[in-house]
Amino acid sequence: MRRRPGIGGLQKAAAARDQYRLLGENVAKLRTDMMKEQLATFKSQLEEFARKHKNDIRKNPAFRAQFHEMCAKVGVDPLASNKGFWAELLGIGDFYYELGVQIIEVCMLTRSLNGGLISLQELCSHLRQRRKKDREAVTEDDCLRAISKLKVLGSGFEVITIGKKKLVRSVPTELNKDHNQILELAQGQGFVTVEQVQRRLSWTSGRVIDALETLLEEGLAMIDNGIKDGKCQYWFPCVSSVYSFVGSDT
């Protein structure tokens, strides 16, 4: 028979476990303290960097994107508040506030054409035309950051990805899987026909027509009956470059 350890042996084993536990806690605390110290140092360097390159961050979109990446790594959000150190130093909160207002304006003015669904690329194009006088370049990354702040207002703004395109939705329209597949299919030439959708997606004509009719009712599609072969074309301004907003430079 194996001999069981006595009380003294159990006490020694328990004491050893306590020592290992304390050692582990001390090592973890030491690592945490070192990380806090490193983060504090990095934040201080980040503030100095921001002071030195203030104009570049405001004017250069590539530089601005890199600055946001640096901030994210240390848990700093320059857009979290319009008050405080970062807002006063960079005025970066004002930059995204103004951009957010312009995004709302463009979406409202183009809604009659696209039903409240506009490609991120087209949105940026309109914004660049509007901001030519400001000489502050705007990137898709800037638009995405501004839109993420609009969500706080409960304004219904959302970025969705369909196929290879990012689309900005400014109306509370719920698109199902069928609608998304049709929009993705339309990205090739800006439109689809009932026959084309049937062939490419292996759907019944009833399913195709039902989905297209819903998209028409929501204002996301426009129908062209003037085709020589008699096949109606359903155009989607949100994925087509054919339609452009004339008043974007006003």
Side-chain angles (χ1 to χ4, degrees):
M1 288 180 63
R2 289 186 63 181
R3 192 175 175 184
R4 293 184 178 181
I7 295 176
L10 291 173
Q11 289 176 339
K12 287 181 180 179
R17 283 197 299 271
D18 288 341
Q19 286 180 343
Y20 283 126
R21 180 176 55 78
L22 288 172
L23 180 62
E25 289 175 355
N26 288 335
V27 170
K29 186 178 183 303
L30 182 62
R31 286 178 178 172
T32 301
D33 290 342
M34 288 177 65
M35 287 179 64
K36 285 181 179 178
E37 187 177 338
Q38 289 174 349
L39 280 174
T41 301
F42 198 90
K43 284 183 179 180
S44 176
Q45 293 173 343
L46 188 63
E47 290 176 7
E48 184 59 34
F49 177 87
R51 286 192 184 94
K52 185 176 180 180
H53 299 284
K54 176 180 177 179
N55 291 331
D56 290 319
I57 292 170
R58 285 278 302 184
K59 302 291 183 182
N60 187 320
F63 208 93
R64 188 163 55 248
Q66 291 176 354
F67 173 71
H68 278 296
E69 287 180 13
M70 291 167 60
C71 288
K73 287 179 180 178
V74 292
V76 173
D77 184 3
L79 305 182
S81 172
N82 218 25
K83 298 178 181 179
F85 172 79
W86 295 105
E88 292 175 8
L89 175 64
L90 300 174
I92 203 164
D94 292 335
F95 173 87
Y96 285 102
Y97 170 77
E98 292 166 5
L99 183 59
V101 170
Q102 291 175 337
I103 287 172
I104 292 172
E105 290 175 349
V106 170
C107 287
M108 288 180 65
L109 290 169
T110 58
R111 193 169 291 174
S112 61
L113 291 175
N114 55 38
L117 198 62
I118 184 173
S119 73
L120 182 61
Q121 185 179 16
E122 185 183 355
L123 175 62
C124 286
S125 177
H126 292 323
L127 291 168
R128 290 186 189 111
Q129 290 181 43
R130 281 172 164 259
R131 298 173 68 90
K132 277 181 180 178
K133 296 178 182 178
D134 299 335
R135 296 183 180 179
E136 290 182 346
V138 174
T139 65
E140 291 187 3
D141 180 73
D142 289 326
C143 289
L144 290 173
R145 292 183 189 279
I147 291 168
S148 72
K149 298 305 169 185
L150 290 177
K151 286 183 180 179
V152 179
L153 303 176
S155 52
F157 279 79
E158 183 183 11
V159 178
I160 59 176
T161 301
I162 297 178
K164 297 180 180 179
K165 277 185 177 287
K166 280 187 170 64
L167 304 176
V168 179
R169 182 166 61 191
S170 58
V171 292
T173 303
E174 288 298 327
L175 300 177
N176 62 29
K177 188 177 179 181
D178 284 4
H179 302 147
N180 288 342
Q181 285 184 277
I182 289 175
L183 286 170
E184 185 174 356
L185 187 60
Q187 289 180 20
Q189 49 192 357
F191 70 89
V192 296
T193 64
V194 172
E195 294 76 14
Q196 181 186 13
V197 177
Q198 279 185 271
R199 186 174 64 254
R200 294 286 298 276
L201 301 179
S202 300
W203 291 359
T204 63
S205 61
R207 181 178 178 181
V208 176
I209 293 171
D210 181 62
L212 289 172
E213 287 297 323
T214 299
L215 292 168
L216 278 171
E217 289 171 7
E218 294 291 345
L220 299 176
M222 303 173 73
I223 192 168
D224 184 356
N225 292 313
I227 309 303
K228 292 180 181 179
D229 60 9
K231 295 179 180 179
C232 296
Q233 293 181 345
Y234 293 81
W235 285 85
F236 298 89
C238 60
V239 296
S240 171
S241 58
V242 174
Y243 297 95
S244 61
F245 176 51
V246 179
S248 61
D249 57 348
T250 58

Short mmCIF file of all heavy atoms in Angstrom, two decimals, residues 86-146:
data_model
loop_
_atom_site.label_atom_id
_atom_site.label_comp_id
_atom_site.label_asym_id
_atom_site.label_seq_id
_atom_site.Cartn_x
_atom_site.Cartn_y
_atom_site.Cartn_z
N TRP A 86 -7.77 66.78 -26.44
CA TRP A 86 -7.63 66.52 -27.87
C TRP A 86 -8.44 67.49 -28.72
O TRP A 86 -7.98 67.93 -29.77
CB TRP A 86 -8.04 65.08 -28.17
CG TRP A 86 -7.13 64.09 -27.53
CD1 TRP A 86 -7.39 63.33 -26.43
CD2 TRP A 86 -5.79 63.77 -27.92
NE1 TRP A 86 -6.29 62.57 -26.12
CE2 TRP A 86 -5.31 62.81 -27.01
CE3 TRP A 86 -4.96 64.21 -28.94
CZ2 TRP A 86 -4.02 62.29 -27.10
CZ3 TRP A 86 -3.67 63.69 -29.04
CH2 TRP A 86 -3.22 62.74 -28.13
N ALA A 87 -9.64 67.81 -28.26
CA ALA A 87 -10.47 68.76 -29.02
C ALA A 87 -9.82 70.14 -29.06
O ALA A 87 -9.79 70.80 -30.10
CB ALA A 87 -11.86 68.85 -28.40
N GLU A 88 -9.28 70.56 -27.92
CA GLU A 88 -8.64 71.88 -27.85
C GLU A 88 -7.35 71.92 -28.66
O GLU A 88 -7.04 72.90 -29.32
CB GLU A 88 -8.36 72.23 -26.38
CG GLU A 88 -9.62 72.49 -25.57
CD GLU A 88 -9.31 72.71 -24.10
OE1 GLU A 88 -8.12 72.83 -23.76
OE2 GLU A 88 -10.25 72.76 -23.29
N LEU A 89 -6.60 70.82 -28.60
CA LEU A 89 -5.32 70.79 -29.29
C LEU A 89 -5.48 70.71 -30.80
O LEU A 89 -4.85 71.46 -31.55
CB LEU A 89 -4.50 69.58 -28.80
CG LEU A 89 -3.16 69.35 -29.51
CD1 LEU A 89 -2.22 70.52 -29.26
CD2 LEU A 89 -2.52 68.06 -29.04
N LEU A 90 -6.34 69.81 -31.26
CA LEU A 90 -6.43 69.53 -32.69
C LEU A 90 -7.66 70.11 -33.38
O LEU A 90 -7.67 70.28 -34.58
CB LEU A 90 -6.42 68.01 -32.92
CG LEU A 90 -5.19 67.25 -32.42
CD1 LEU A 90 -5.41 65.76 -32.61
CD2 LEU A 90 -3.95 67.70 -33.17
N GLY A 91 -8.71 70.37 -32.59
CA GLY A 91 -9.96 70.76 -33.21
C GLY A 91 -10.52 69.63 -34.04
O GLY A 91 -11.33 69.81 -34.94
N ILE A 92 -10.05 68.40 -33.74
CA ILE A 92 -10.40 67.26 -34.57
C ILE A 92 -11.86 66.86 -34.38
O ILE A 92 -12.50 66.34 -35.28
CB ILE A 92 -9.44 66.08 -34.28
CG1 ILE A 92 -9.40 65.14 -35.47
CG2 ILE A 92 -9.81 65.34 -33.00
CD1 ILE A 92 -8.25 64.19 -35.46
N GLY A 93 -12.40 67.14 -33.18
CA GLY A 93 -13.82 66.88 -32.96
C GLY A 93 -14.68 67.75 -33.86
O GLY A 93 -15.68 67.29 -34.42
N ASP A 94 -14.29 69.02 -34.02
CA ASP A 94 -15.02 69.93 -34.90
C ASP A 94 -14.97 69.44 -36.35
O ASP A 94 -15.94 69.54 -37.09
CB ASP A 94 -14.42 71.34 -34.82
CG ASP A 94 -14.67 71.98 -33.47
OD1 ASP A 94 -15.65 71.58 -32.80
OD2 ASP A 94 -13.88 72.86 -33.07
N PHE A 95 -13.81 68.92 -36.75
CA PHE A 95 -13.63 68.42 -38.12
C PHE A 95 -14.66 67.34 -38.42
O PHE A 95 -15.35 67.38 -39.45
CB PHE A 95 -12.21 67.85 -38.27
CG PHE A 95 -11.97 67.15 -39.58
CD1 PHE A 95 -11.55 67.85 -40.70
CD2 PHE A 95 -12.16 65.77 -39.70
CE1 PHE A 95 -11.32 67.20 -41.91
CE2 PHE A 95 -11.95 65.12 -40.90
CZ PHE A 95 -11.52 65.84 -42.00
N TYR A 96 -14.82 66.38 -37.52
CA TYR A 96 -15.74 65.27 -37.75
C TYR A 96 -17.20 65.68 -37.52
O TYR A 96 -18.10 65.11 -38.13
CB TYR A 96 -15.37 64.06 -36.89
CG TYR A 96 -14.14 63.35 -37.42
CD1 TYR A 96 -12.90 63.54 -36.84
CD2 TYR A 96 -14.23 62.52 -38.53
CE1 TYR A 96 -11.77 62.91 -37.35
CE2 TYR A 96 -13.12 61.89 -39.05
CZ TYR A 96 -11.89 62.08 -38.45
OH TYR A 96 -10.77 61.47 -38.97
N TYR A 97 -17.42 66.66 -36.66
CA TYR A 97 -18.78 67.18 -36.47
C TYR A 97 -19.25 67.84 -37.76
O TYR A 97 -20.36 67.57 -38.24
CB TYR A 97 -18.80 68.18 -35.32
CG TYR A 97 -20.11 68.93 -35.22
CD1 TYR A 97 -21.24 68.33 -34.67
CD2 TYR A 97 -20.22 70.24 -35.68
CE1 TYR A 97 -22.45 69.01 -34.59
CE2 TYR A 97 -21.42 70.94 -35.62
CZ TYR A 97 -22.53 70.31 -35.06
OH TYR A 97 -23.71 71.00 -34.99
N GLU A 98 -18.40 68.70 -38.34
CA GLU A 98 -18.75 69.38 -39.59
C GLU A 98 -18.94 68.36 -40.72
O GLU A 98 -19.87 68.48 -41.54
CB GLU A 98 -17.65 70.36 -39.97
CG GLU A 98 -17.55 71.55 -39.02
CD GLU A 98 -16.26 72.32 -39.20
OE1 GLU A 98 -15.49 71.99 -40.13
OE2 GLU A 98 -16.01 73.26 -38.40
N LEU A 99 -18.07 67.36 -40.75
CA LEU A 99 -18.17 66.33 -41.79
C LEU A 99 -19.47 65.55 -41.63
O LEU A 99 -20.15 65.24 -42.61
CB LEU A 99 -16.97 65.38 -41.69
CG LEU A 99 -16.88 64.27 -42.75
CD1 LEU A 99 -16.83 64.88 -44.16
CD2 LEU A 99 -15.64 63.41 -42.51
N GLY A 100 -19.85 65.25 -40.40
CA GLY A 100 -21.10 64.53 -40.13
C GLY A 100 -22.31 65.31 -40.62
O GLY A 100 -23.24 64.73 -41.22
N VAL A 101 -22.32 66.62 -40.39
CA VAL A 101 -23.42 67.48 -40.85
C VAL A 101 -23.50 67.45 -42.38
O VAL A 101 -24.59 67.35 -42.97
CB VAL A 101 -23.23 68.93 -40.36
CG1 VAL A 101 -24.24 69.86 -41.03
CG2 VAL A 101 -23.38 68.99 -38.84
N GLN A 102 -22.33 67.51 -43.04
CA GLN A 102 -22.31 67.50 -44.50
C GLN A 102 -22.76 66.14 -45.06
O GLN A 102 -23.40 66.08 -46.11
CB GLN A 102 -20.91 67.85 -45.00
CG GLN A 102 -20.55 69.30 -44.75
CD GLN A 102 -19.11 69.62 -45.13
OE1 GLN A 102 -18.26 68.74 -45.18
NE2 GLN A 102 -18.84 70.89 -45.38
N ILE A 103 -22.43 65.07 -44.35
CA ILE A 103 -22.88 63.73 -44.76
C ILE A 103 -24.40 63.65 -44.72
O ILE A 103 -25.04 63.14 -45.65
CB ILE A 103 -22.25 62.65 -43.85
CG1 ILE A 103 -20.77 62.48 -44.19
CG2 ILE A 103 -22.98 61.30 -44.01
CD1 ILE A 103 -20.02 61.57 -43.23
N ILE A 104 -24.99 64.18 -43.65
CA ILE A 104 -26.45 64.20 -43.53
C ILE A 104 -27.07 64.99 -44.68
O ILE A 104 -28.05 64.57 -45.29
CB ILE A 104 -26.88 64.80 -42.18
CG1 ILE A 104 -26.47 63.86 -41.03
CG2 ILE A 104 -28.38 65.03 -42.13
CD1 ILE A 104 -26.68 64.46 -39.65
N GLU A 105 -26.48 66.15 -45.00
CA GLU A 105 -27.00 67.00 -46.07
C GLU A 105 -26.97 66.29 -47.41
O GLU A 105 -27.95 66.30 -48.17
CB GLU A 105 -26.19 68.31 -46.13
CG GLU A 105 -26.44 69.24 -44.96
CD GLU A 105 -25.54 70.46 -45.00
OE1 GLU A 105 -24.59 70.47 -45.82
OE2 GLU A 105 -25.76 71.39 -44.20
N VAL A 106 -25.82 65.66 -47.73
CA VAL A 106 -25.68 64.97 -49.01
C VAL A 106 -26.68 63.82 -49.10
O VAL A 106 -27.34 63.63 -50.14
CB VAL A 106 -24.24 64.45 -49.20
CG1 VAL A 106 -24.17 63.51 -50.41
CG2 VAL A 106 -23.27 65.60 -49.39
N CYS A 107 -26.81 63.06 -48.02
CA CYS A 107 -27.74 61.92 -48.03
C CYS A 107 -29.18 62.38 -48.22
O CYS A 107 -29.96 61.74 -48.95
CB CYS A 107 -27.61 61.12 -46.73
SG CYS A 107 -26.08 60.14 -46.63
N MET A 108 -29.55 63.50 -47.60
CA MET A 108 -30.91 64.02 -47.74
C MET A 108 -31.16 64.52 -49.16
O MET A 108 -32.23 64.28 -49.74
CB MET A 108 -31.15 65.13 -46.72
CG MET A 108 -31.28 64.66 -45.29
SD MET A 108 -31.56 66.01 -44.12
CE MET A 108 -33.17 66.58 -44.66
N LEU A 109 -30.18 65.21 -49.73
CA LEU A 109 -30.34 65.80 -51.06
C LEU A 109 -30.32 64.75 -52.17
O LEU A 109 -30.86 64.99 -53.25
CB LEU A 109 -29.26 66.85 -51.30
CG LEU A 109 -29.39 68.14 -50.47
CD1 LEU A 109 -28.14 68.99 -50.58
CD2 LEU A 109 -30.61 68.93 -50.93
N THR A 110 -29.71 63.61 -51.93
CA THR A 110 -29.65 62.56 -52.95
C THR A 110 -30.71 61.48 -52.73
O THR A 110 -30.82 60.55 -53.52
CB THR A 110 -28.26 61.89 -52.97
OG1 THR A 110 -27.98 61.35 -51.67
CG2 THR A 110 -27.18 62.89 -53.33
N ARG A 111 -31.47 61.60 -51.66
CA ARG A 111 -32.43 60.54 -51.29
C ARG A 111 -33.48 60.29 -52.37
O ARG A 111 -33.91 59.17 -52.59
CB ARG A 111 -33.10 60.89 -49.96
CG ARG A 111 -33.85 59.73 -49.33
CD ARG A 111 -34.26 60.07 -47.91
NE ARG A 111 -33.11 60.15 -47.02
CZ ARG A 111 -33.19 60.54 -45.75
NH1 ARG A 111 -34.36 60.89 -45.24
NH2 ARG A 111 -32.11 60.58 -44.99
N SER A 112 -33.90 61.35 -53.07
CA SER A 112 -34.92 61.18 -54.11
C SER A 112 -34.38 60.38 -55.30
O SER A 112 -35.14 59.80 -56.07
CB SER A 112 -35.41 62.54 -54.61
OG SER A 112 -34.34 63.29 -55.18
N LEU A 113 -33.05 60.34 -55.44
CA LEU A 113 -32.43 59.59 -56.53
C LEU A 113 -32.09 58.16 -56.14
O LEU A 113 -32.22 57.24 -56.95
CB LEU A 113 -31.13 60.29 -56.99
CG LEU A 113 -31.27 61.62 -57.72
CD1 LEU A 113 -29.89 62.21 -57.97
CD2 LEU A 113 -31.99 61.41 -59.05
N ASN A 114 -31.64 57.97 -54.89
CA ASN A 114 -31.13 56.64 -54.52
C ASN A 114 -31.93 55.95 -53.41
O ASN A 114 -31.56 54.86 -52.97
CB ASN A 114 -29.66 56.73 -54.11
CG ASN A 114 -29.43 57.75 -53.00
OD1 ASN A 114 -30.25 57.89 -52.09
ND2 ASN A 114 -28.32 58.47 -53.07
N GLY A 115 -33.00 56.58 -52.93
CA GLY A 115 -33.84 55.95 -51.92
C GLY A 115 -33.20 55.88 -50.54
O GLY A 115 -33.65 55.13 -49.68
N GLY A 116 -32.13 56.65 -50.33
CA GLY A 116 -31.48 56.66 -49.02
C GLY A 116 -30.36 55.65 -48.89
O GLY A 116 -29.91 55.35 -47.78
N LEU A 117 -29.88 55.14 -50.03
CA LEU A 117 -28.76 54.19 -50.03
C LEU A 117 -27.74 54.68 -51.04
O LEU A 117 -28.00 54.70 -52.23
CB LEU A 117 -29.26 52.79 -50.40
CG LEU A 117 -28.37 51.60 -50.05
CD1 LEU A 117 -28.15 51.50 -48.55
CD2 LEU A 117 -28.99 50.32 -50.57
N ILE A 118 -26.57 55.11 -50.55
CA ILE A 118 -25.56 55.69 -51.42
C ILE A 118 -24.23 55.00 -51.17
O ILE A 118 -23.91 54.63 -50.03
CB ILE A 118 -25.43 57.22 -51.17
CG1 ILE A 118 -24.44 57.86 -52.14
CG2 ILE A 118 -25.04 57.52 -49.72
CD1 ILE A 118 -24.42 59.40 -52.05
N SER A 119 -23.46 54.79 -52.22
CA SER A 119 -22.17 54.13 -52.03
C SER A 119 -21.22 55.06 -51.29
O SER A 119 -21.28 56.30 -51.45
CB SER A 119 -21.57 53.74 -53.38
OG SER A 119 -21.08 54.87 -54.07
N LEU A 120 -20.36 54.48 -50.48
CA LEU A 120 -19.40 55.27 -49.71
C LEU A 120 -18.50 56.06 -50.64
O LEU A 120 -18.16 57.22 -50.38
CB LEU A 120 -18.57 54.35 -48.82
CG LEU A 120 -17.54 55.00 -47.91
CD1 LEU A 120 -18.20 55.96 -46.93
CD2 LEU A 120 -16.74 53.94 -47.15
N GLN A 121 -18.14 55.46 -51.76
CA GLN A 121 -17.28 56.13 -52.74
C GLN A 121 -17.95 57.37 -53.32
O GLN A 121 -17.32 58.43 -53.43
CB GLN A 121 -16.93 55.13 -53.86
CG GLN A 121 -15.94 55.67 -54.88
CD GLN A 121 -15.62 54.64 -55.95
OE1 GLN A 121 -16.33 53.64 -56.11
NE2 GLN A 121 -14.54 54.85 -56.66
N GLU A 122 -19.23 57.24 -53.67
CA GLU A 122 -19.96 58.39 -54.23
C GLU A 122 -20.15 59.48 -53.18
O GLU A 122 -20.04 60.67 -53.47
CB GLU A 122 -21.31 57.94 -54.77
CG GLU A 122 -22.08 59.05 -55.48
CD GLU A 122 -23.46 58.63 -55.96
OE1 GLU A 122 -23.80 57.44 -55.83
OE2 GLU A 122 -24.19 59.51 -56.46
N LEU A 123 -20.44 59.06 -51.95
CA LEU A 123 -20.60 60.03 -50.85
C LEU A 123 -19.33 60.85 -50.68
O LEU A 123 -19.38 62.08 -50.56
CB LEU A 123 -20.94 59.29 -49.55
CG LEU A 123 -21.03 60.13 -48.28
CD1 LEU A 123 -22.13 61.18 -48.39
CD2 LEU A 123 -21.27 59.24 -47.07
N CYS A 124 -18.19 60.19 -50.69
CA CYS A 124 -16.90 60.89 -50.55
C CYS A 124 -16.67 61.85 -51.70
O CYS A 124 -16.13 62.95 -51.52
CB CYS A 124 -15.75 59.88 -50.47
SG CYS A 124 -15.65 59.02 -48.90
N SER A 125 -17.08 61.45 -52.89
CA SER A 125 -16.92 62.31 -54.07
C SER A 125 -17.72 63.60 -53.91
O SER A 125 -17.22 64.70 -54.18
CB SER A 125 -17.38 61.55 -55.32
OG SER A 125 -17.29 62.38 -56.46
N HIS A 126 -18.97 63.49 -53.45
CA HIS A 126 -19.80 64.68 -53.21
C HIS A 126 -19.17 65.57 -52.13
O HIS A 126 -19.15 66.80 -52.26
CB HIS A 126 -21.20 64.27 -52.75
CG HIS A 126 -22.00 63.59 -53.82
ND1 HIS A 126 -21.95 63.94 -55.15
CD2 HIS A 126 -22.89 62.56 -53.74
CE1 HIS A 126 -22.76 63.18 -55.84
NE2 HIS A 126 -23.35 62.32 -55.02
N LEU A 127 -18.66 64.96 -51.08
CA LEU A 127 -18.08 65.71 -49.96
C LEU A 127 -16.82 66.45 -50.40
O LEU A 127 -16.60 67.59 -49.98
CB LEU A 127 -17.76 64.77 -48.79
CG LEU A 127 -18.98 64.19 -48.07
CD1 LEU A 127 -18.55 63.06 -47.13
CD2 LEU A 127 -19.71 65.27 -47.28
N ARG A 128 -16.02 65.84 -51.25
CA ARG A 128 -14.79 66.50 -51.73
C ARG A 128 -15.14 67.74 -52.54
O ARG A 128 -14.46 68.75 -52.46
CB ARG A 128 -13.96 65.52 -52.56
CG ARG A 128 -13.33 64.41 -51.72
CD ARG A 128 -12.39 63.54 -52.55
NE ARG A 128 -11.97 62.39 -51.79
CZ ARG A 128 -12.35 61.14 -52.06
NH1 ARG A 128 -13.15 60.90 -53.09
NH2 ARG A 128 -11.93 60.13 -51.32
N GLN A 129 -16.21 67.64 -53.35
CA GLN A 129 -16.64 68.80 -54.13
C GLN A 129 -17.10 69.93 -53.21
O GLN A 129 -16.79 71.10 -53.45
CB GLN A 129 -17.78 68.40 -55.06
CG GLN A 129 -17.36 67.48 -56.20
CD GLN A 129 -18.52 67.13 -57.12
OE1 GLN A 129 -19.32 67.99 -57.48
NE2 GLN A 129 -18.62 65.88 -57.51
N ARG A 130 -17.82 69.56 -52.15
CA ARG A 130 -18.33 70.56 -51.21
C ARG A 130 -17.20 71.22 -50.42
O ARG A 130 -17.30 72.38 -50.03
CB ARG A 130 -19.29 69.91 -50.22
CG ARG A 130 -20.67 69.67 -50.77
CD ARG A 130 -21.51 68.86 -49.80
NE ARG A 130 -22.91 68.98 -50.16
CZ ARG A 130 -23.78 69.77 -49.54
NH1 ARG A 130 -23.40 70.50 -48.52
NH2 ARG A 130 -25.04 69.83 -49.92
N ARG A 131 -16.12 70.49 -50.17
CA ARG A 131 -15.08 70.95 -49.27
C ARG A 131 -13.85 71.49 -50.00
O ARG A 131 -12.79 71.67 -49.39
CB ARG A 131 -14.66 69.82 -48.33
CG ARG A 131 -15.79 69.33 -47.44
CD ARG A 131 -15.40 68.10 -46.66
NE ARG A 131 -14.37 68.39 -45.68
CZ ARG A 131 -14.60 68.76 -44.41
NH1 ARG A 131 -15.85 68.87 -43.98
NH2 ARG A 131 -13.61 69.00 -43.58
N LYS A 132 -13.99 71.74 -51.30
CA LYS A 132 -12.84 72.24 -52.07
C LYS A 132 -12.29 73.54 -51.48
O LYS A 132 -11.08 73.75 -51.40
CB LYS A 132 -13.25 72.47 -53.53
CG LYS A 132 -13.22 71.22 -54.38
CD LYS A 132 -13.61 71.54 -55.81
CE LYS A 132 -13.58 70.28 -56.67
NZ LYS A 132 -14.02 70.57 -58.07
N LYS A 133 -13.19 74.41 -51.05
CA LYS A 133 -12.77 75.70 -50.49
C LYS A 133 -12.01 75.53 -49.19
O LYS A 133 -11.12 76.31 -48.87
CB LYS A 133 -13.99 76.61 -50.28
CG LYS A 133 -14.71 76.97 -51.57
CD LYS A 133 -15.94 77.82 -51.27
CE LYS A 133 -16.69 78.16 -52.55
NZ LYS A 133 -17.93 78.94 -52.29
N ASP A 134 -12.38 74.50 -48.39
CA ASP A 134 -11.72 74.27 -47.10
C ASP A 134 -10.32 73.71 -47.26
O ASP A 134 -9.49 73.82 -46.37
CB ASP A 134 -12.55 73.29 -46.24
CG ASP A 134 -13.93 73.82 -45.95
OD1 ASP A 134 -14.10 75.05 -45.98
OD2 ASP A 134 -14.84 73.00 -45.71
N ARG A 135 -10.07 73.09 -48.43
CA ARG A 135 -8.76 72.47 -48.71
C ARG A 135 -8.39 71.41 -47.66
O ARG A 135 -7.21 71.21 -47.36
CB ARG A 135 -7.66 73.54 -48.79
CG ARG A 135 -7.87 74.51 -49.95
CD ARG A 135 -6.75 75.51 -50.06
NE ARG A 135 -6.96 76.43 -51.17
CZ ARG A 135 -6.12 77.43 -51.48
NH1 ARG A 135 -5.04 77.64 -50.75
NH2 ARG A 135 -6.39 78.21 -52.51
N GLU A 136 -9.40 70.79 -47.11
CA GLU A 136 -9.18 69.68 -46.18
C GLU A 136 -9.69 68.40 -46.85
O GLU A 136 -10.89 68.21 -46.99
CB GLU A 136 -9.90 69.91 -44.86
CG GLU A 136 -9.29 71.02 -44.03
CD GLU A 136 -10.01 71.20 -42.69
OE1 GLU A 136 -11.11 70.66 -42.53
OE2 GLU A 136 -9.46 71.90 -41.84
N ALA A 137 -8.74 67.59 -47.30
CA ALA A 137 -9.11 66.37 -48.03
C ALA A 137 -9.89 65.42 -47.12
O ALA A 137 -9.66 65.37 -45.91
CB ALA A 137 -7.86 65.68 -48.56
N VAL A 138 -10.82 64.70 -47.72
CA VAL A 138 -11.66 63.75 -46.97
C VAL A 138 -11.48 62.36 -47.57
O VAL A 138 -11.53 62.19 -48.78
CB VAL A 138 -13.15 64.15 -47.05
CG1 VAL A 138 -14.01 63.09 -46.40
CG2 VAL A 138 -13.36 65.48 -46.36
N THR A 139 -11.28 61.37 -46.72
CA THR A 139 -11.12 59.99 -47.17
C THR A 139 -12.32 59.16 -46.72
O THR A 139 -13.14 59.61 -45.92
CB THR A 139 -9.85 59.37 -46.58
OG1 THR A 139 -10.00 59.29 -45.15
CG2 THR A 139 -8.62 60.21 -46.92
N GLU A 140 -12.39 57.93 -47.22
CA GLU A 140 -13.45 57.02 -46.81
C GLU A 140 -13.33 56.72 -45.32
O GLU A 140 -14.33 56.55 -44.63
CB GLU A 140 -13.39 55.73 -47.63
CG GLU A 140 -13.78 55.95 -49.10
CD GLU A 140 -13.89 54.65 -49.88
OE1 GLU A 140 -13.72 53.56 -49.28
OE2 GLU A 140 -14.13 54.72 -51.10
N ASP A 141 -12.09 56.65 -44.84
CA ASP A 141 -11.86 56.40 -43.41
C ASP A 141 -12.47 57.53 -42.57
O ASP A 141 -13.09 57.28 -41.53
CB ASP A 141 -10.35 56.29 -43.13
CG ASP A 141 -10.05 56.02 -41.67
OD1 ASP A 141 -10.29 54.89 -41.21
OD2 ASP A 141 -9.58 56.95 -40.97
N ASP A 142 -12.30 58.78 -43.02
CA ASP A 142 -12.89 59.92 -42.31
C ASP A 142 -14.41 59.81 -42.28
O ASP A 142 -15.05 60.07 -41.26
CB ASP A 142 -12.49 61.24 -42.99
CG ASP A 142 -11.02 61.58 -42.79
OD1 ASP A 142 -10.48 61.26 -41.72
OD2 ASP A 142 -10.42 62.15 -43.71
N CYS A 143 -15.00 59.43 -43.43
CA CYS A 143 -16.46 59.30 -43.51
C CYS A 143 -16.97 58.22 -42.56
O CYS A 143 -17.97 58.41 -41.87
CB CYS A 143 -16.88 58.96 -44.94
SG CYS A 143 -16.69 60.33 -46.10
N LEU A 144 -16.26 57.11 -42.51
CA LEU A 144 -16.67 56.01 -41.62
C LEU A 144 -16.62 56.44 -40.16
O LEU A 144 -17.50 56.10 -39.37
CB LEU A 144 -15.76 54.79 -41.85
CG LEU A 144 -15.93 54.08 -43.20
CD1 LEU A 144 -14.87 53.00 -43.37
CD2 LEU A 144 -17.32 53.45 -43.31
N ARG A 145 -15.60 57.20 -39.79
CA ARG A 145 -15.48 57.68 -38.41
C ARG A 145 -16.61 58.66 -38.08
O ARG A 145 -17.19 58.62 -37.00
CB ARG A 145 -14.12 58.34 -38.18
CG ARG A 145 -12.96 57.37 -38.23
CD ARG A 145 -11.63 58.04 -37.93
NE ARG A 145 -10.54 57.13 -38.18
CZ ARG A 145 -10.13 56.18 -37.35
NH1 ARG A 145 -10.73 56.04 -36.18
NH2 ARG A 145 -9.13 55.38 -37.66
N ALA A 146 -16.91 59.56 -39.03
CA ALA A 146 -17.98 60.53 -38.80
C ALA A 146 -19.34 59.83 -38.69
O ALA A 146 -20.16 60.18 -37.83
CB ALA A 146 -18.00 61.56 -39.95
#
